[in-house]
Amino acid sequence: MARLERGIGCADTRDKTRQQVVSLIRSAGQIARIDIAAETGVSPATITAITQEMIQAGLVEEVAPGTGRPASGRGRPRVSLKLRGDAHLLAGIKVSFRTLSVVLVDFEGTSVAEHVAPLSAPRVSPEALAVEIRALLAAATAEIGQTVDDISGLGVGLAGTIDAIAGFVHWSPSLTASNVALRDLLEAALPMPVFLDNDANLVAKAEQLFGEARGVRDFIVVTIEQGVGMGIVIDGEVYRGTRGCGAEFGHTKVHLDGALCRCGQRGCLEAYVADYALLREADVSMPGEAGSSAEDRLNRLFLAARAGEPTAHSITHRAARMFAMGLANLVNIFDPRLLILSGERMSHDFLYSDEVLAAIRDEVVQVDAPPPEVKIHKWGDQMWAKGAAAYAMEGVTDLAVRRLAIDA
Ligand SMILES: [Zn+2]
C-alpha cells in the first residue's frame, strides 16, 4: 500500500486530465488507450504518456480485453487498462443515530471488509468520535489481516450542515459540539488523510460511482432517514453551494406559518415528513402505551396506515403529499435527468407510493418531453459507508495524481 502525504500541490490542467483518465477507467472497468483518448478529447500521445506514469506508479495495469486479468503479452488483440485494486485500501464510515458502519474497499471499489459497531451514545463529543472511529477501523482492518496504518484514505459521512471543502462541521445531530474543525481533529488522531462530507452528498457519490446514476451527468438524490437530505450532481460534480453546505431540502418551506421544525423555523418539509413529525401527530391522535420506543410507535403508525385505519392513513397521506410537492419543486428548479429516492426509511412505503409518483408528475411543469425518471433505491448504512469510501477514493486519487505531477 502506498502512503500519501496530505495537501500537496494544487491541480493544473494535466492533473485534471489525469483525474479524468482515472475516473474514466474506474467507470468503464477496463478501457483501451485509444478509447480514453476519444472519450476525453485528449491526444493519444498524451494519453499514452499519462497512463504510462500511472502504470509506473502502480495505480493502473494492463489487461487483455475481456479477461480482467493482467495481459500475457502473447497474441493480444488490443490491450486495455484497469485500475490496480491493491494500489490503495480506502475506508468509508457512516455515522448514524446509534451506530458507526465502515466499509473497506480496494482501489477498484470492491468491498473487502464491512463492520458495524454501536456508538457509545446517539450524540458524542468530537474527541470521543475520533476514538470510536479508530477502534472501528482497527477491528475492520484486523478482519483482513491489515492495520489502520494500511489505509490510504478515510471518508466520513454524517448528517448535518457540513462544509466539505473546509472539513468543518457547522452542526450535526451526531455531535455534542457545534462549529468543529472535525477533519483536522480526525487527522490528528488517525494516520491517513480524512475526507468529510454531508452523508446525503456521499450517497450521491455512491450512486454516481456504483449505483443507479452511473453514466448520468445531472441527477438528484433525496435521502430519507431521521431527516430528509439531498445531494445534487450537476455536470458530474456534487453541487455544494457558496458556503460548502450543499442542499438543505428538508428545510425548504412547503407551508406558510406551518408546523414547527426542529431547526426552529416553521413550515419546513421535514416538519411534515421526518420521523419526529409523524410521531408528533401520531402521539396526539393515536396515543399508545406509555414508555414504548419511538421506533415501536412509528411501526405501529405505519402498520395501522397500511391496514387502512383512517387517522393513521391521514397522517401518512399528508406526509406523502407534502413530500411529493417538495420533489415536484426540485424537478421544476433543476430539471434533472434522474431523481433517486434513497434511504432506509424507504422500507416504509408511503413516501414512494404510486400516489407520490403520480403527484410529482402532476405538479411538474408540463412540456412535450418525458419527465425525469424517478428511481427508488433502498439501501442500508453499509451503502452510505460505501459512498464515504468512494469519496475517500476520489480524494486519494487526487493526492496520488498530484504526486505523479511532482515526480514527473
Ligand atoms: Zn427546518
Side-chain angles (χ1 to χ4, degrees):
M1 297 288 164
R3 288 304 304 270
L4 293 166
E5 295 139 51
R6 296 158 183 163
I8 39 175
C10 62
D12 61 6
T13 315
R14 187 138 170 162
D15 269 15
K16 287 218 174 91
T17 308
R18 289 185 180 101
Q19 282 157 8
Q20 224 184 331
V21 168
V22 174
S23 15
L24 194 58
I25 299 173
R26 177 166 289 127
S27 62
Q30 44 181 280
I31 184 169
R33 288 178 180 86
I34 192 73
D35 297 325
I36 298 175
E39 290 271 339
T40 54
V42 175
S43 76
T46 305
I47 293 301
T48 299
I50 283 179
T51 53
Q52 197 50 40
E53 284 170 7
M54 290 177 176
I55 289 171
Q56 275 164 9
L59 296 175
V60 165
E61 64 189 0
E62 293 187 331
V63 287
T67 65
R69 290 193 304 271
S72 69
R74 251 189 316 153
R76 54 188 179 188
R78 191 169 77 163
V79 171
S80 287
L81 298 174
K82 70 184 268 296
L83 296 181
R84 261 193 54 207
D86 60 2
H88 291 288
L89 178 67
L90 295 319
I93 286 186
K94 152 83 170 159
V95 182
S96 298
F97 181 50
R98 286 192 179 281
T99 54
L100 282 180
S101 306
V102 65
V103 173
L104 299 180
V105 302
D106 69 13
F107 196 53
E108 286 184 276
T110 306
S111 294
V112 292
E114 296 186 356
H115 209 83
V116 183
L119 258 179
S120 58
R123 299 174 74 213
V124 294
S125 72
E127 294 75 19
L129 182 66
V131 170
E132 295 190 36
I133 283 177
R134 191 178 176 108
L136 180 67
L137 291 176
T141 47
E143 280 176 20
I144 52 167
Q146 308 231 27
T147 70
V148 174
D149 290 309
D150 294 318
I151 300 171
S152 299
L154 166 67
V156 177
L158 67 171
T161 312
I162 290 152
D163 183 336
I165 309 299
F168 189 84
V169 179
H170 292 279
W171 174 83
S172 169
S174 300
L175 294 180
T176 51
S178 296
N179 297 316
V180 182
L182 187 62
R183 182 181 60 206
D184 293 349
L185 192 148
L186 291 175
E187 286 191 341
L190 294 163
M192 76 291 285
V194 175
F195 308 91
L196 189 70
D197 205 347
N198 172 285
D199 52 6
N201 284 343
L202 295 181
V203 170
K205 190 56 69 188
E207 293 285 9
Q208 183 181 36
L209 289 179
F210 322 109
E212 300 286 343
R214 262 187 275 197
V216 182
R217 302 290 295 170
D218 299 294
F219 67 95
I220 288 174
V221 179
V222 169
T223 61
I224 305 153
E225 217 198 4
Q226 301 298 119
V228 181
M230 170 163 87
I232 307 167
V233 175
I234 297 175
D235 200 20
E237 301 280 335
V238 172
Y239 177 76
R240 299 183 190 283
T242 314
R243 293 175 297 163
C245 301
E248 288 292 346
F249 178 52
H251 303 284
T252 54
K253 306 299 180 276
V254 293
H255 203 304
L256 185 66
D257 295 331
L260 192 62
C261 179
R262 63 177 174 176
C263 75
Q265 300 183 355
R266 283 189 178 277
C268 298
L269 180 63
E270 255 192 43
Y272 296 92
V273 305
D275 287 358
Y276 77 87
L278 298 171
L279 279 176
R280 183 167 58 191
E281 295 224 6
D283 289 348
V284 172
S285 49
M286 29 185 318
E289 319 92 70
S292 61
S293 70
E295 206 180 342
D296 287 346
R297 273 143 59 218
L298 260 186
N299 282 333
R300 211 149 37 82
L301 171 71
F302 295 140
L303 284 175
R306 247 175 257 154
E309 196 282 311
T311 310
H313 180 260
S314 85
I315 292 171
T316 57
H317 177 73
R318 187 160 108 115
R321 287 302 316 270
M322 286 292 190
F323 188 54
M325 183 162 73
L327 294 175
N329 287 342
L330 283 187
V331 171
N332 285 335
I333 294 168
F334 290 100
D335 189 24
R337 204 183 106 196
L338 171 66
L339 175 64
I340 303 171
L341 308 183
S342 166
E344 267 195 303
R345 190 53 62 215
M346 304 305 289
S347 57
H348 302 289
D349 45 14
F350 67 98
L351 286 180
Y352 60 102
S353 58
D354 291 343
E355 186 193 357
V356 168
L357 300 184
I360 298 171
R361 279 194 295 273
D362 288 348
E363 290 167 17
V364 302
V365 171
Q366 306 292 319
V367 292
D368 196 11
E373 192 180 357
V374 180
K375 283 187 177 173
I376 289 148
H377 195 183
K378 299 176 201 177
W379 59 4
D381 284 349
Q382 289 302 329
M383 288 305 289
W384 295 65
K386 202 165 176 191
Y391 186 47
M393 190 190 288
E394 279 196 350
V396 163
T397 302
D398 273 11
L399 293 176
V401 159
R402 285 184 208 173
R403 198 170 60 174
L404 282 181
I406 288 166
D407 294 347

